[in-house]
Amino acid sequence: MERAAAAAGPAVEGGGVSRRAVRAAGAAAAGAGSRQASTETLDSPTGSHVEWCKQLIAATISSQISGSVPSEGVSRDYREIQDGHNGYHSEAEPDQALRDGNKLAQMEEAPLFPGESIKVIAKDVMYICPFMGAVSGTLTVTDFRMYIKSVERDPPFVVDVPLGVISRVEKIGVQSHGDNSCGIEIVCKDMRNLRLAYKQEEQNRLEIFENLVTRAFPVSNGLPLFAFSYKEKFAVNGWKVYDPMAEYKRQGLPNESWKISKINSTYELCDTYPAILVVPTSVKDDDLSKVAAFRAKGRVPVLSWIHPESQATITRCSQPSVGPNDKRCKEDEKYLQTIMDANAQSHKLIIFDARQNSVADTNKAKGGGYESESAYPNAELVFLEIHNIHVMRESLRKLKEIVYPTIDETRWLSNVDSTHWLEYIRMLLAGAVRIADKIESGKTSVVVHCSDGWDRTAQLTALAMLMLDSYYRTIKGFEVLIEKEWISFGHRFAMRVGHGDDDHADADRSPIFLQFIDCVWQMTKQFPAAFEFNELFLITILDHLYSCLFGTFLCNCEKERLKEEVSTKTVSLWSYINSQLDEFTNPFYVNYENHVLYPVASLNHLELWVNYYVRWNPRMRPQVPIHQNLKELLAIRTELQKKVEDLQREAATRSISSSSDRGSSPSHSATPVHTSV
């Protein structure tokens, strides 16, 4: 169980800690990297080639100098191997040398998951750590990870990187003192870059780069993602976490106004929607098909959540195909009127368009558009002015520049501000608060859409539902929320993340889901007792968004996952998480049932998520891992809860005994006394 998190989670430098501690380090901050003056982009190597070549030459030269590693930095086992030879060889020594060599190789061997296989091993590969300098060790490339281990340090130095996090691999050659040396720049999706150097004199050195590229980008090389090879067994089946029928039943559906429809059971109505949809009871399938033809990608308005008392609903969809000529669709107009009528508490429908008004106008000129109040008389259209996927991608690129590898302390606040990352987080939270408030306070149904309804729409509906419904703030409920609003409703994970694809410059990539998780983290900071899960839970979700260890975030929609048999051929991330809930539980959690949370969407109340974005910088680590403290508190809480339960049982027993004694006494037979605790 613990192995899954250690290697699949964040790469850890400075190994020698327990497997469980390695995983915890991901939440607090695992270290690696120092920043060069550069014009780095999100998916291009850090620094100029000139600077990189200087580092490569320096690393190569240092590797040729004997005794460059101080003796105190060499592990005890390694010193014993080295000291046993003293530079001389007897006749019996070849066998001893072989045994010692095998021992060293075993010490530097990569741990493997069930189903994982080694593709290439190379010794004396230099990892250029910007904080610790050049570290020489053994590089292992498997079909899941890149693993570097050096026993020249005590404790052994380890870098363990799931290949799924790699965005780009670039090979750089340089000549130094007549030796041909090779450098590899590895750009990652999780806010770090890695640099390797080695002498290109053996044939197997050529295999390093080739295997790294082939295994990091299996889809581009006609190979399956590792999730289809992973064979770990867990006590819990995470694929059973989300049952749409059970979730809709929990919400009180179907009812008089809403029905569960299977019109999309073969994905013919909309190939990016789930098979099971909730639509107004009175709507006929023929009309629904006409609405689908009018909505972009066939994504008709369908119910996401219904208020248990007012019956106000959140429905989601894509933009209408109005076009420059203001095309209308009477079935669509009637459909939205029916959604409004399903809520007797209000005679108005609010349409939240996530886009900027100017962008929506541009889309209208291209055949898309938005609902005019003349065509939808009882509807009010509100633009939330949230930027598109390209702006968000550029914002994250700027953020990576200022947090990795080093931080300019003197300009930290202005640098963070210049990325606009927190401003975009603020806009998302503010939009979700407006949606939640209309539902809760205004008792008014809302429709949410952007252009296609699978990016900003998912962010807004999921956040609003998290604010409105305490169930989604539990561990299982949050898993259900992700499965429902993101996975089943067709957020294009494969396209936005680029699983196994070497096209790092693909314009469709964007950190949409990362932004959502960041918003959730901001809410946990403002309401620390309202969420059952802890920070490690959120970081683990993000790590496995990229790792390709589990099948949870693979493909773009339900139809694709069914075709690829993801639920039967891969393991769910929830299997791993739900098999060890103590790791991910918030010890301060209080179930605020039926409480609506309204986070303050102001930059004064938002902060950069340092434990995620800056975790590779060892100088940002807390002295005591936060996760360890939370686990200790959870153990204390469990112990105290047990004592309370024991005392309650003891008090109840005494109460019953006291009542029984008094009831049998002649002097109290007429007026028995009942004591309640």
Side-chain angles (χ1 to χ4, degrees), residues 362-665:
T362 303
N363 287 347
K364 184 178 177 183
K366 296 177 180 178
Y370 47 87
E371 298 83 357
S372 66
E373 294 184 7
S374 59
Y376 301 85
N378 294 316
E380 177 187 339
L381 181 64
V382 177
F383 288 101
L384 295 176
E385 302 293 328
I386 299 170
H387 296 267
N388 62 28
I389 63 169
H390 312 296
V391 173
M392 303 309 181
R393 181 177 61 249
E394 175 64 10
S395 178
L396 185 63
R397 181 195 69 77
K398 290 178 179 177
L399 182 61
K400 184 175 178 181
E401 277 190 350
I402 69 164
V403 302
Y404 185 88
T406 58
I407 293 169
D408 183 351
E409 297 286 356
T410 60
R411 294 192 178 109
W412 171 244
L413 293 176
S414 60
N415 282 344
V416 171
D417 184 59
S418 68
T419 69
H420 301 293
W421 184 259
L422 288 179
E423 172 61 17
Y424 299 144
I425 295 297
R426 184 200 67 78
M427 294 178 78
L428 283 171
L429 283 171
V433 166
R434 292 180 71 176
I435 293 168
D437 187 53
K438 282 295 180 186
I439 293 284
E440 178 66 22
S441 303
K443 296 180 172 52
T444 304
S445 294
V446 303
V447 174
V448 184
H449 71 71
C450 47
S451 295
D452 294 318
W454 51 46
D455 290 317
R456 286 163 287 190
T457 299
Q459 290 174 323
L460 292 166
T461 58
L463 286 171
M465 290 160 67
L466 194 66
M467 295 171 191
L468 289 162
D469 194 334
S470 61
Y471 170 70
Y472 296 126
R473 303 194 285 265
T474 66
I475 290 177
K476 184 186 175 184
F478 192 73
E479 293 168 354
V480 167
L481 182 66
I482 290 175
E483 287 281 349
K484 180 178 180 297
E485 289 302 294
W486 288 90
I487 297 171
S488 78
F489 273 103
H491 174 66
R492 310 180 87 181
F493 281 104
M495 191 165 284
R496 296 289 179 255
V497 176
H499 292 135
D501 188 351
D502 63 4
D503 186 6
H504 61 88
D506 186 351
D508 282 320
R509 295 195 186 182
S510 191
I512 300 301
F513 186 72
L514 167 60
Q515 282 187 314
F516 163 69
I517 296 294
D518 193 329
C519 288
V520 174
W521 180 80
Q522 302 287 347
M523 288 179 65
T524 66
K525 294 293 286 184
Q526 293 192 27
F527 304 97
F531 295 84
E532 187 184 20
F533 48 83
N534 59 23
E535 183 181 55
L536 180 61
F537 176 73
L538 299 176
I539 291 177
T540 300
I541 288 172
L542 287 179
D543 283 337
H544 293 298
L545 170 68
Y546 304 120
S547 75
C548 296
L549 183 65
F550 301 102
T552 303
F553 298 116
L554 303 187
C555 305
N556 290 311
C557 60
E558 188 174 285
K559 181 182 179 182
E560 284 185 18
R561 291 182 192 93
L562 199 64
K563 180 183 176 183
E564 298 296 329
E565 301 177 82
V566 169
S567 63
T568 55
K569 292 185 175 180
T570 71
V571 179
S572 168
L573 171 59
W574 317 131
S575 299
Y576 164 66
I577 286 177
N578 296 344
S579 295
Q580 44 188 345
L581 289 174
D582 285 355
E583 291 289 317
F584 307 104
T585 300
N586 173 18
F588 304 110
Y589 172 63
V590 177
N591 185 5
Y592 292 125
E593 193 171 2
N594 300 324
H595 278 62
V596 176
L597 304 184
Y598 291 122
V600 179
S602 163
L603 287 175
N604 294 334
H605 289 77
L606 303 180
E607 57 184 284
L608 188 70
W609 189 6
V610 170
N611 283 351
Y612 179 75
Y613 297 113
V614 203
R615 59 181 166 156
W616 308 120
N617 187 333
R619 296 187 181 103
M620 302 301 289
R621 290 183 195 171
Q623 290 184 340
V624 179
I626 295 171
H627 176 62
Q628 188 59 39
N629 286 342
L630 292 179
K631 283 189 67 179
E632 291 168 3
L633 287 171
L634 190 63
I636 293 170
R637 172 175 150 167
T638 302
E639 185 180 340
L640 290 173
Q641 281 178 330
K642 186 175 183 300
K643 286 183 179 179
V644 168
E645 289 167 3
D646 290 344
L647 288 170
Q648 286 175 333
R649 279 195 295 270
E650 185 180 337
T653 302
R654 287 181 179 179
S655 173
I656 294 170
S657 175
S658 175
S659 298
S660 175
D661 292 343
R662 289 172 181 173
S664 60
S665 171

